[in-house]
Amino acid sequence: MNDFSIPAPATGRVLAGWVILLGLVATIAASGLVALRGDDAVAGAPVLVIAAPWGQGAAAIVTGAGGRPLGPVSAAFGTLATFDGAIPVADLRALGAWAVRDGTSIASICGVNLT
């Protein structure tokens, strides 16, 4: 007998691999959308500024808009910051920020001291 078909277990493993890969991609995409669609930033609270990692960076955008980055380091796509007074969302966007969101929950997860 000349049976050149792929055994069923190998096909099942390939299919399972693709399902896992698609699940990971969907999870990453969903978390990015949640971050971009989070609550609006509130004056007096930490804000999350999200920007392109290939540009000047979120920390430089915050500083350029008169804010102060929180924490010792920034992530590739964003930084936590505070502003004295109103949050200059228009200035941040003009400097290259993709989004400006409430950062209170992320600040507590990251261990940033808010006092």
Coordinates of all heavy atoms in Angstrom, one line a residue:
M1 N 0.8 -1.2 0.0 CA 0.0 0.0 0.0 C 0.9 1.2 0.0 O 1.8 1.3 0.8 CB -0.9 0.0 1.2 CG -1.9 -1.0 1.3 SD -3.0 -0.6 2.7 CE -4.5 -0.9 2.0
N2 N 0.5 2.1 -0.8 CA 1.2 3.4 -0.9 C 0.3 4.5 -0.3 O -0.5 5.1 -0.9 CB 1.5 3.8 -2.3 CG 2.6 2.9 -2.9 OD1 3.4 2.3 -2.1 ND2 2.6 2.7 -4.2
D3 N 0.5 4.7 1.0 CA -0.3 5.7 1.7 C 0.5 6.8 2.1 O 1.4 6.7 3.0 CB -1.0 5.0 3.0 CG -1.9 6.0 3.7 OD1 -2.4 6.9 3.0 OD2 -2.2 5.7 4.9
F4 N 0.4 8.0 1.4 CA 1.2 9.1 1.6 C 0.5 10.2 2.4 O 0.9 11.4 2.4 CB 1.7 9.7 0.3 CG 2.6 8.8 -0.5 CD1 2.1 8.1 -1.6 CD2 3.9 8.6 0.0 CE1 3.0 7.2 -2.2 CE2 4.7 7.7 -0.7 CZ 4.3 7.0 -1.8
S5 N -0.6 9.9 3.0 CA -1.4 10.9 3.8 C -0.7 11.2 5.1 O 0.0 10.3 5.7 CB -2.8 10.5 4.0 OG -2.8 9.3 4.8
I6 N -0.9 12.4 5.6 CA -0.3 12.8 6.9 C -1.2 12.1 8.0 O -2.4 12.2 8.0 CB -0.4 14.3 7.1 CG1 0.5 15.0 6.0 CG2 0.1 14.7 8.5 CD1 0.4 16.5 6.0
P7 N -0.5 11.5 9.0 CA -1.3 10.9 10.1 C -2.1 12.0 10.8 O -1.7 13.1 10.9 CB -0.2 10.4 11.0 CG 1.0 10.3 10.2 CD 0.9 11.4 9.1
A8 N -3.2 11.6 11.3 CA -4.2 12.5 12.0 C -3.6 13.2 13.2 O -3.8 14.4 13.4 CB -5.4 11.7 12.4
P9 N -2.8 12.5 14.0 CA -2.2 13.2 15.2 C -1.3 14.4 14.8 O -1.3 15.5 15.4 CB -1.4 12.2 15.9 CG -2.0 10.9 15.5 CD -2.5 11.1 14.1
A10 N -0.6 14.3 13.7 CA 0.3 15.5 13.3 C -0.6 16.6 12.8 O -0.3 17.8 13.1 CB 1.2 15.0 12.2
T11 N -1.6 16.3 12.1 CA -2.6 17.4 11.7 C -3.2 18.1 12.8 O -3.4 19.3 12.9 CB -3.6 16.8 10.7 OG1 -3.0 16.2 9.6 CG2 -4.5 17.9 10.2
G12 N -3.6 17.3 13.8 CA -4.2 17.9 15.0 C -3.3 18.8 15.8 O -3.7 19.8 16.3
R13 N -2.0 18.4 15.9 CA -1.0 19.2 16.5 C -0.8 20.6 15.8 O -0.7 21.6 16.4 CB 0.3 18.5 16.7 CG 0.3 17.4 17.7 CD 1.7 16.9 18.0 NE 2.4 16.4 16.9 CZ 2.5 15.1 16.6 NH1 2.0 14.2 17.4 NH2 3.1 14.7 15.5
V14 N -0.8 20.5 14.5 CA -0.6 21.8 13.7 C -1.8 22.7 13.9 O -1.7 23.9 14.2 CB -0.4 21.4 12.2 CG1 -0.5 22.7 11.4 CG2 0.9 20.7 12.0
L15 N -3.0 22.1 13.9 CA -4.2 22.9 14.1 C -4.2 23.4 15.5 O -4.6 24.6 15.7 CB -5.4 22.0 13.8 CG -6.8 22.7 14.0 CD1 -6.9 23.8 13.0 CD2 -7.9 21.7 13.8
A16 N -3.9 22.7 16.5 CA -3.8 23.2 17.9 C -2.8 24.3 18.0 O -3.1 25.3 18.7 CB -3.5 22.0 18.8
G17 N -1.7 24.2 17.3 CA -0.7 25.3 17.4 C -1.3 26.6 16.8 O -1.0 27.7 17.3
W18 N -2.0 26.5 15.7 CA -2.6 27.7 15.1 C -3.6 28.3 16.0 O -3.7 29.5 16.1 CB -3.1 27.3 13.7 CG -2.1 27.3 12.6 CD1 -1.6 26.2 12.0 CD2 -1.4 28.5 12.1 NE1 -0.7 26.6 11.1 CE2 -0.5 28.0 11.1 CE3 -1.5 29.8 12.3 CZ2 0.3 28.8 10.4 CZ3 -0.7 30.7 11.6 CH2 0.2 30.2 10.6
V19 N -4.4 27.4 16.6 CA -5.5 27.9 17.5 C -4.8 28.7 18.7 O -5.3 29.8 19.0 CB -6.4 26.8 18.0 CG1 -7.3 27.2 19.1 CG2 -7.2 26.3 16.8
I20 N -3.8 28.1 19.2 CA -3.1 28.8 20.3 C -2.5 30.1 19.9 O -2.6 31.1 20.5 CB -2.0 27.9 20.9 CG1 -2.7 26.7 21.6 CG2 -1.1 28.6 21.8 CD1 -1.7 25.6 22.0
L21 N -1.8 30.1 18.7 CA -1.2 31.4 18.2 C -2.3 32.4 17.9 O -2.1 33.6 18.3 CB -0.5 31.1 16.9 CG 0.1 32.3 16.2 CD1 1.2 32.9 17.1 CD2 0.7 31.9 14.8
L22 N -3.4 32.1 17.3 CA -4.5 33.0 17.1 C -5.1 33.6 18.4 O -5.4 34.7 18.5 CB -5.6 32.4 16.3 CG -5.2 32.2 14.8 CD1 -6.3 31.5 14.1 CD2 -4.9 33.5 14.1
G23 N -5.2 32.7 19.4 CA -5.6 33.1 20.7 C -4.7 34.1 21.4 O -5.1 35.1 22.0
L24 N -3.4 33.9 21.3 CA -2.4 34.9 21.8 C -2.5 36.2 21.1 O -2.5 37.3 21.7 CB -1.0 34.3 21.7 CG -0.7 33.1 22.7 CD1 0.7 32.5 22.3 CD2 -0.7 33.6 24.1
V25 N -2.6 36.2 19.8 CA -2.7 37.4 19.0 C -4.0 38.2 19.4 O -3.9 39.4 19.6 CB -2.7 37.1 17.5 CG1 -3.0 38.3 16.7 CG2 -1.3 36.6 17.1
A26 N -5.1 37.5 19.5 CA -6.3 38.1 19.9 C -6.2 38.7 21.3 O -6.7 39.8 21.5 CB -7.5 37.1 19.8
T27 N -5.6 38.0 22.2 CA -5.4 38.6 23.6 C -4.6 39.8 23.6 O -4.9 40.8 24.2 CB -4.8 37.5 24.5 OG1 -5.6 36.3 24.5 CG2 -4.6 38.0 25.9
I28 N -3.5 39.8 22.8 CA -2.6 41.0 22.8 C -3.4 42.2 22.1 O -3.3 43.3 22.6 CB -1.3 40.7 22.0 CG1 -0.5 39.7 22.9 CG2 -0.5 42.0 21.7 CD1 0.7 39.1 22.1
A29 N -4.1 41.9 21.1 CA -4.9 43.0 20.4 C -5.9 43.5 21.3 O -6.1 44.8 21.4 CB -5.5 42.5 19.1
A30 N -6.6 42.7 22.0 CA -7.7 43.1 22.9 C -7.1 44.0 24.1 O -7.7 45.0 24.4 CB -8.4 41.9 23.5
S31 N -6.0 43.6 24.6 CA -5.4 44.4 25.7 C -5.0 45.7 25.2 O -5.1 46.7 25.9 CB -4.3 43.7 26.5 OG -3.5 42.9 25.6
G32 N -4.5 45.8 24.0 CA -4.1 47.1 23.4 C -5.3 48.0 23.2 O -5.3 49.2 23.5
L33 N -6.4 47.4 22.8 CA -7.7 48.2 22.6 C -8.2 48.7 24.0 O -8.7 49.8 24.1 CB -8.7 47.4 21.9 CG -8.4 47.1 20.4 CD1 -9.5 46.2 19.8 CD2 -8.4 48.4 19.7
V34 N -8.1 47.8 25.0 CA -8.6 48.2 26.3 C -7.8 49.4 26.8 O -8.3 50.3 27.4 CB -8.5 47.0 27.3 CG1 -8.7 47.4 28.7 CG2 -9.6 46.0 26.9
A35 N -6.5 49.4 26.6 CA -5.6 50.5 27.1 C -6.0 51.7 26.4 O -6.0 52.8 27.0 CB -4.1 50.1 26.9
L36 N -6.2 51.7 25.1 CA -6.5 52.9 24.3 C -8.0 53.4 24.6 O -8.2 54.5 24.4 CB -6.4 52.6 22.8 CG -4.9 52.4 22.3 CD1 -4.9 52.1 20.9 CD2 -4.1 53.7 22.6
R37 N -8.9 52.5 25.0 CA -10.2 52.9 25.2 C -10.6 53.0 26.7 O -11.7 53.0 27.1 CB -11.2 51.9 24.6 CG -11.0 51.7 23.1 CD -12.0 52.0 22.2 NE -13.4 52.1 22.8 CZ -14.2 53.0 22.6 NH1 -13.8 54.0 21.8 NH2 -15.4 53.0 23.1
G38 N -9.5 53.1 27.6 CA -9.7 53.3 29.0 C -10.4 54.6 29.4 O -10.8 55.4 28.5
D39 N -10.5 54.8 30.7 CA -11.2 56.1 31.1 C -10.3 57.3 30.7 O -9.1 57.2 30.6 CB -11.3 56.0 32.7 CG -12.3 55.0 33.1 OD1 -13.2 54.6 32.3 OD2 -12.1 54.5 34.2
D40 N -11.0 58.4 30.6 CA -10.3 59.6 30.3 C -9.4 60.1 31.5 O -9.8 59.8 32.6 CB -11.3 60.8 29.9 CG -11.9 60.5 28.6 OD1 -11.3 59.9 27.7 OD2 -13.1 61.0 28.4
A41 N -8.4 60.8 31.2 CA -7.5 61.2 32.3 C -8.2 62.3 33.1 O -9.0 63.1 32.6 CB -6.2 61.8 31.6
V42 N -7.8 62.3 34.4 CA -8.4 63.2 35.4 C -7.3 64.0 36.0 O -6.3 63.5 36.4 CB -9.2 62.4 36.5 CG1 -9.8 63.3 37.5 CG2 -10.2 61.5 35.9
A43 N -7.6 65.3 36.1 CA -6.6 66.2 36.7 C -6.3 65.8 38.2 O -7.2 65.4 38.9 CB -7.0 67.7 36.6
G44 N -5.0 65.8 38.6 CA -4.7 65.5 39.9 C -4.4 64.0 40.1 O -4.0 63.6 41.2
A45 N -4.7 63.2 39.1 CA -4.4 61.8 39.2 C -3.3 61.4 38.2 O -3.1 62.1 37.3 CB -5.7 61.0 38.9
P46 N -2.7 60.2 38.4 CA -1.7 59.8 37.4 C -2.4 59.5 36.0 O -3.5 59.1 36.0 CB -1.2 58.5 37.9 CG -1.6 58.4 39.4 CD -2.8 59.3 39.5
V47 N -1.7 59.9 35.0 CA -2.2 59.6 33.6 C -1.2 58.7 32.9 O 0.0 58.6 33.2 CB -2.4 60.9 32.8 CG1 -3.4 61.8 33.4 CG2 -1.1 61.6 32.7
L48 N -1.8 57.9 32.0 CA -1.0 57.0 31.2 C -0.9 57.7 29.8 O -1.9 57.9 29.2 CB -1.6 55.6 31.1 CG -0.9 54.7 30.1 CD1 0.5 54.4 30.5 CD2 -1.8 53.4 30.0
V49 N 0.3 58.0 29.4 CA 0.5 58.6 28.0 C 1.1 57.5 27.1 O 2.1 57.0 27.4 CB 1.5 59.8 28.1 CG1 1.7 60.4 26.7 CG2 0.9 60.9 29.0
I50 N 0.4 57.2 26.1 CA 0.8 56.2 25.1 C 1.3 56.8 23.9 O 0.6 57.7 23.3 CB -0.4 55.2 24.8 CG1 -1.0 54.6 26.1 CG2 0.0 54.1 23.9 CD1 -2.3 53.9 26.0
A51 N 2.5 56.4 23.4 CA 3.1 57.0 22.2 C 3.9 55.9 21.5 O 4.1 54.8 22.0 CB 4.0 58.1 22.6
A52 N 4.2 56.2 20.3 CA 5.0 55.3 19.4 C 6.4 55.1 20.0 O 7.0 56.1 20.4 CB 5.1 55.8 18.0
P53 N 6.9 53.9 20.1 CA 8.2 53.6 20.7 C 9.3 54.1 19.7 O 10.5 54.3 20.2 CB 8.2 52.1 20.9 CG 7.3 51.6 19.9 CD 6.2 52.6 19.7
W54 N 9.1 54.2 18.4 CA 10.1 54.6 17.5 C 10.3 56.1 17.4 O 11.2 56.6 16.8 CB 9.9 54.1 16.1 CG 8.5 54.4 15.6 CD1 8.1 55.6 15.0 CD2 7.3 53.6 15.7 NE1 6.8 55.5 14.7 CE2 6.3 54.3 15.1 CE3 7.1 52.3 16.2 CZ2 5.0 53.8 15.0 CZ3 5.8 51.8 16.1 CH2 4.8 52.5 15.5
G55 N 9.5 56.9 18.1 CA 9.6 58.4 18.1 C 10.4 58.8 19.3 O 11.3 58.1 19.8
Q56 N 10.1 60.0 19.8 CA 10.9 60.6 20.9 C 10.6 59.9 22.2 O 11.3 60.0 23.2 CB 10.6 62.1 21.0 CG 9.2 62.4 21.2 CD 8.9 63.9 21.3 OE1 9.8 64.7 21.6 NE2 7.7 64.3 21.0
G57 N 9.5 59.1 22.3 CA 9.2 58.4 23.5 C 8.2 59.2 24.3 O 8.1 60.4 24.3
A58 N 7.4 58.4 25.1 CA 6.3 59.0 25.9 C 6.8 59.9 27.0 O 6.3 60.9 27.3 CB 5.4 57.9 26.5
A59 N 8.0 59.5 27.6 CA 8.5 60.3 28.7 C 9.0 61.7 28.2 O 8.7 62.7 28.8 CB 9.7 59.6 29.3
A60 N 9.5 61.8 27.0 CA 9.9 63.0 26.4 C 8.7 63.9 26.0 O 8.7 65.1 26.2 CB 10.8 62.8 25.2
I61 N 7.7 63.2 25.6 CA 6.4 63.9 25.3 C 5.8 64.6 26.5 O 5.4 65.7 26.5 CB 5.4 63.0 24.6 CG1 5.9 62.6 23.2 CG2 4.0 63.6 24.5 CD1 5.1 61.5 22.5
V62 N 5.8 63.8 27.6 CA 5.3 64.3 28.9 C 6.1 65.5 29.4 O 5.5 66.5 29.8 CB 5.3 63.2 30.0 CG1 5.1 63.7 31.4 CG2 4.3 62.1 29.7
T63 N 7.4 65.4 29.3 CA 8.3 66.5 29.8 C 8.0 67.7 28.9 O 8.0 68.8 29.4 CB 9.7 66.1 29.7 OG1 9.9 64.9 30.5 CG2 10.7 67.1 30.2
G64 N 7.9 67.5 27.6 CA 7.7 68.6 26.6 C 6.4 69.3 26.9 O 6.2 70.5 26.6
A65 N 5.4 68.6 27.4 CA 4.1 69.2 27.7 C 4.0 69.8 29.1 O 2.9 70.2 29.6 CB 3.0 68.2 27.5
G66 N 5.1 69.7 29.9 CA 5.1 70.3 31.2 C 4.8 69.3 32.3 O 4.5 69.8 33.4
G67 N 4.8 68.1 32.0 CA 4.4 67.1 33.1 C 5.7 66.5 33.7 O 6.8 66.8 33.3
R68 N 5.4 65.6 34.6 CA 6.5 64.9 35.3 C 6.3 63.4 35.3 O 5.3 62.9 35.8 CB 6.6 65.3 36.8 CG 7.7 64.7 37.6 CD 7.7 65.3 39.0 NE 6.4 65.2 39.7 CZ 6.1 64.1 40.5 NH1 6.9 63.1 40.6 NH2 4.9 64.1 41.1
P69 N 7.2 62.6 34.6 CA 7.1 61.2 34.6 C 7.1 60.6 36.0 O 7.9 61.0 36.8 CB 8.2 60.7 33.7 CG 8.7 61.9 32.9 CD 8.4 63.1 33.8
L70 N 6.3 59.6 36.2 CA 6.3 58.8 37.5 C 7.1 57.6 37.3 O 7.1 56.9 36.3 CB 4.9 58.5 37.9 CG 4.0 59.6 38.2 CD1 2.6 59.1 38.5 CD2 4.5 60.4 39.4
G71 N 7.8 57.2 38.4 CA 8.6 55.9 38.4 C 10.0 56.1 37.8 O 10.3 57.1 37.1
P72 N 10.8 55.1 38.0 CA 12.2 55.2 37.6 C 12.4 54.9 36.1 O 13.3 55.3 35.5 CB 12.9 54.1 38.4 CG 11.8 53.1 38.7 CD 10.5 53.9 38.9
V73 N 11.4 54.2 35.4 CA 11.6 53.8 34.0 C 10.2 54.0 33.3 O 9.2 54.0 34.0 CB 12.1 52.4 33.8 CG1 13.5 52.3 34.3 CG2 11.2 51.4 34.5
S74 N 10.3 54.0 32.0 CA 9.1 54.0 31.2 C 9.0 52.8 30.3 O 10.0 52.2 30.0 CB 9.1 55.3 30.3 OG 9.0 56.5 31.0
A75 N 7.8 52.4 30.0 CA 7.7 51.3 29.1 C 7.9 51.7 27.6 O 7.9 52.9 27.4 CB 6.3 50.7 29.2
A76 N 8.0 50.8 26.7 CA 8.3 51.2 25.3 C 7.2 52.0 24.7 O 7.4 52.9 24.0 CB 8.5 49.9 24.5
F77 N 5.9 51.7 25.0 CA 4.8 52.4 24.4 C 4.2 53.4 25.3 O 3.3 54.1 24.9 CB 3.7 51.4 24.0 CG 3.9 50.7 22.8 CD1 4.5 49.4 22.7 CD2 3.5 51.3 21.6 CE1 4.7 48.8 21.5 CE2 3.7 50.6 20.4 CZ 4.3 49.4 20.3
G78 N 4.6 53.6 26.5 CA 3.9 54.6 27.4 C 4.6 54.9 28.7 O 5.6 54.2 29.0
T79 N 4.2 55.9 29.3 CA 4.7 56.2 30.6 C 3.6 56.8 31.5 O 2.6 57.3 31.0 CB 5.8 57.3 30.5 OG1 6.5 57.4 31.7 CG2 5.3 58.6 30.0
L80 N 3.8 56.6 32.8 CA 2.9 57.2 33.8 C 3.4 58.6 34.1 O 4.6 58.8 34.2 CB 2.8 56.4 35.0 CG 2.1 55.1 34.9 CD1 2.4 54.2 36.1 CD2 0.6 55.3 34.7
A81 N 2.5 59.6 34.3 CA 2.9 61.0 34.6 C 1.9 61.7 35.4 O 0.7 61.2 35.6 CB 3.1 61.7 33.2
T82 N 2.3 62.8 35.9 CA 1.4 63.7 36.6 C 1.6 65.1 36.0 O 2.7 65.5 35.5 CB 1.7 63.8 38.1 OG1 3.0 64.2 38.3 CG2 1.4 62.5 38.8
F83 N 0.6 65.9 36.1 CA 0.6 67.3 35.7 C 0.1 68.2 36.7 O -0.9 67.8 37.5 CB -0.3 67.5 34.4 CG 0.3 66.8 33.2 CD1 0.0 65.5 32.9 CD2 1.2 67.5 32.3 CE1 0.5 64.8 31.8 CE2 1.7 66.8 31.2 CZ 1.4 65.5 31.0
D84 N 0.6 69.4 36.9 CA 0.1 70.4 37.8 C -1.0 71.1 37.1 O -0.9 71.6 36.0 CB 1.2 71.4 38.2 CG 2.3 70.8 39.0 OD1 2.0 69.8 39.7 OD2 3.4 71.3 38.9
G85 N -2.2 71.0 37.6 CA -3.4 71.6 37.0 C -4.0 70.7 35.9 O -3.9 69.5 36.0
A86 N -4.6 71.3 34.9 CA -5.3 70.6 33.9 C -4.3 69.8 33.0 O -3.2 70.2 32.8 CB -6.1 71.6 33.0
I87 N -4.8 68.7 32.5 CA -3.9 67.8 31.7 C -4.0 68.4 30.3 O -5.1 68.5 29.7 CB -4.4 66.4 31.7 CG1 -4.4 65.9 33.2 CG2 -3.6 65.5 30.8 CD1 -5.1 64.6 33.4
P88 N -2.8 68.7 29.7 CA -2.8 69.3 28.3 C -2.9 68.3 27.2 O -2.0 68.0 26.5 CB -1.5 70.1 28.3 CG -0.6 69.2 29.2 CD -1.5 68.7 30.3
V89 N -4.1 67.7 27.1 CA -4.3 66.6 26.2 C -4.0 67.0 24.7 O -3.3 66.3 24.0 CB -5.7 66.0 26.3 CG1 -5.9 64.9 25.2 CG2 -6.0 65.5 27.7
A90 N -4.4 68.2 24.4 CA -4.1 68.7 23.0 C -2.6 68.9 22.8 O -2.1 68.5 21.7 CB -4.9 70.0 22.8
D91 N -1.9 69.4 23.7 CA -0.5 69.5 23.6 C 0.2 68.2 23.5 O 1.2 68.0 22.7 CB 0.1 70.3 24.8 CG -0.3 71.8 24.8 OD1 -0.8 72.3 23.8 OD2 -0.2 72.4 25.9
L92 N -0.2 67.2 24.3 CA 0.4 65.9 24.3 C 0.1 65.2 22.9 O 1.1 64.6 22.4 CB -0.2 65.0 25.4 CG 0.2 65.4 26.8 CD1 -0.7 64.7 27.9 CD2 1.6 65.0 27.1
R93 N -1.0 65.4 22.4 CA -1.3 64.8 21.1 C -0.5 65.5 20.0 O 0.0 64.9 19.1 CB -2.8 64.9 20.8 CG -3.6 64.0 21.7 CD -4.7 63.3 21.0 NE -5.4 62.5 22.0 CZ -6.1 61.5 21.6 NH1 -6.3 61.2 20.4 NH2 -6.7 60.8 22.5
A94 N -0.4 66.8 20.1 CA 0.4 67.5 19.1 C 1.9 67.1 19.2 O 2.6 67.1 18.1 CB 0.3 69.1 19.4
L95 N 2.4 66.7 20.3 CA 3.8 66.3 20.5 C 3.9 64.8 20.0 O 5.1 64.3 20.0 CB 4.2 66.4 21.9 CG 4.4 67.9 22.3 CD1 4.6 68.0 23.9 CD2 5.6 68.5 21.6
G96 N 2.8 64.1 19.8 CA 3.0 62.7 19.3 C 2.3 61.6 20.1 O 2.5 60.5 19.8
A97 N 1.6 62.0 21.2 CA 0.9 61.0 22.0 C -0.2 60.4 21.2 O -1.0 61.1 20.6 CB 0.5 61.6 23.3
W98 N -0.4 59.1 21.3 CA -1.5 58.4 20.7 C -2.7 58.5 21.5 O -3.8 58.7 21.0 CB -1.2 56.9 20.5 CG -0.2 56.6 19.4 CD1 0.3 57.5 18.4 CD2 0.4 55.4 19.2 NE1 1.2 56.9 17.6 CE2 1.3 55.6 18.0 CE3 0.4 54.2 19.8 CZ2 2.1 54.5 17.5 CZ3 1.2 53.1 19.3 CH2 2.0 53.3 18.2
A99 N -2.6 58.4 22.9 CA -3.7 58.4 23.8 C -3.2 58.9 25.1 O -2.1 58.8 25.5 CB -4.3 57.0 23.9
V100 N -4.2 59.5 25.9 CA -3.9 60.0 27.2 C -5.1 59.4 28.1 O -6.2 59.8 27.9 CB -3.9 61.5 27.3 CG1 -3.6 61.9 28.8 CG2 -2.8 62.0 26.4
R101 N -4.8 58.5 29.0 CA -5.8 57.8 29.8 C -5.5 57.9 31.2 O -4.4 58.2 31.7 CB -5.9 56.3 29.3 CG -6.3 56.2 27.9 CD -7.7 56.5 27.7 NE -8.1 56.6 26.4 CZ -8.9 57.5 25.8 NH1 -9.4 58.4 26.6 NH2 -9.2 57.4 24.6
D102 N -6.6 57.6 32.0 CA -6.4 57.5 33.5 C -5.4 56.4 33.8 O -5.5 55.3 33.3 CB -7.8 57.2 34.1 CG -7.7 57.1 35.6 OD1 -6.9 57.8 36.2 OD2 -8.4 56.3 36.2
G103 N -4.4 56.8 34.6 CA -3.4 55.8 35.0 C -3.4 55.3 36.4 O -2.4 54.7 36.9
T104 N -4.4 55.6 37.1 CA -4.5 55.3 38.6 C -4.3 53.8 38.8 O -3.5 53.3 39.6 CB -5.8 55.7 39.2 OG1 -6.0 57.1 38.9 CG2 -5.9 55.5 40.7
S105 N -5.1 52.9 38.1 CA -5.0 51.5 38.3 C -3.7 50.9 37.9 O -3.1 50.1 38.6 CB -6.2 50.8 37.6 OG -6.1 51.0 36.2
I106 N -3.1 51.4 36.8 CA -1.8 50.9 36.4 C -0.7 51.4 37.3 O 0.2 50.6 37.6 CB -1.5 51.4 34.9 CG1 -2.4 50.6 34.0 CG2 -0.1 51.2 34.6 CD1 -2.2 50.8 32.5
A107 N -0.9 52.6 37.9 CA 0.1 53.1 38.8 C 0.1 52.2 40.1 O 1.2 51.9 40.6 CB -0.2 54.5 39.2
S108 N -1.1 51.8 40.5 CA -1.1 50.9 41.7 C -0.5 49.5 41.4 O 0.2 48.9 42.3 CB -2.5 50.8 42.2 OG -3.3 50.1 41.3
I109 N -0.7 49.0 40.2 CA -0.2 47.7 39.9 C 1.4 47.8 39.8 O 2.1 46.9 40.2 CB -0.7 47.2 38.5 CG1 -2.2 46.9 38.7 CG2 0.0 46.0 38.0 CD1 -2.9 46.6 37.4
C110 N 1.9 48.9 39.2 CA 3.3 49.1 39.1 C 4.0 49.5 40.3 O 5.2 49.6 40.3 CB 3.6 50.1 38.0 SG 3.0 49.6 36.3
G111 N 3.3 49.8 41.4 CA 3.9 50.1 42.7 C 4.4 51.5 42.8 O 5.2 51.9 43.6
V112 N 3.8 52.4 42.0 CA 4.1 53.9 42.0 C 3.5 54.4 43.3 O 2.3 54.3 43.5 CB 3.7 54.6 40.8 CG1 3.9 56.1 40.9 CG2 4.4 54.0 39.5
N113 N 4.3 55.1 44.1 CA 3.8 55.8 45.3 C 3.1 57.1 44.9 O 3.7 58.0 44.4 CB 4.9 56.0 46.3 CG 4.4 56.5 47.6 OD1 3.2 56.7 47.8 ND2 5.4 56.8 48.5
L114 N 1.8 57.2 45.2 CA 1.0 58.3 44.7 C 0.9 59.4 45.8 O 0.3 60.5 45.6 CB -0.4 57.9 44.3 CG -0.5 56.9 43.2 CD1 -1.9 56.4 42.9 CD2 0.2 57.4 42.0
T115 N 1.5 59.2 47.0 CA 1.5 60.2 48.0 C 2.7 61.1 48.0 O 3.7 60.9 47.5 CB 1.3 59.6 49.4 OG1 2.4 58.7 49.6 CG2 0.0 58.8 49.5

